[in-house]
Amino acid sequence: PPASTLTIPFPTARLASTAERALAVDAELSPLVRRSFSLGGIHGGGDDETVLKVEYAATTNRMLRVAVNGFFESLGVVLGVMEELDVDVVGLPGKESVAGAQGVAPIAEGERAV
């Protein structure tokens, strides 16, 4: 069956854990999609808990695409809230650039995210 693993790096383990807890509360809408969360390094290192891993499995490619798209919408909301409300995030450089990533737009100085 179609499957995908998403790895999302965060500046700190606390933020990765917070994102995991915020995103895990919403169950998948379709019983044809399975999703699991874990924290760990990008290359399998279990001690680096700054990376959120999300594993998806679905019965069809279309179901996988729809589920992953929905996840990225929710992730965008969580990241926006973190950026606005979490003092640890303000001004910290990320592990990877998100420049050019679909759905990610920079917020100009003085502008508020909605």
Side-chain angles (χ1 to χ4, degrees):
S4 183
T5 299
L6 309 173
T7 55
I8 302 107
F10 286 86
T12 67
R14 184 182 62 79
L15 292 173
S17 175
T18 298
E20 176 188 28
R21 289 190 321 269
L23 293 163
V25 297
D26 293 324
E28 282 299 318
L29 297 176
S30 172
L32 305 176
V33 177
R34 290 186 317 276
R35 175 184 69 190
S36 64
F37 291 92
S38 63
L39 296 173
I42 292 176
H43 301 290
D47 58 341
D48 177 15
E49 293 191 343
T50 63
V51 177
L52 173 61
K53 291 183 181 180
V54 186
E55 295 183 33
Y56 273 96
T59 55
T60 66
N61 286 330
R62 181 181 183 283
M63 293 300 295
L64 180 63
R65 178 180 52 82
V66 169
V68 169
N69 283 344
F71 171 79
F72 276 115
E73 287 180 24
S74 296
L75 177 63
V77 170
V78 169
L79 293 176
V81 169
M82 286 180 168
E83 183 177 30
E84 282 291 315
L85 302 178
D86 196 304
V87 294
D88 290 352
V89 175
V90 177
L92 287 180
K95 286 187 173 185
E96 298 175 355
S97 172
V98 293
Q102 181 178 351
V104 177
I107 298 174
E109 191 172 326
E111 186 178 327
R112 293 191 57 185
V114 264

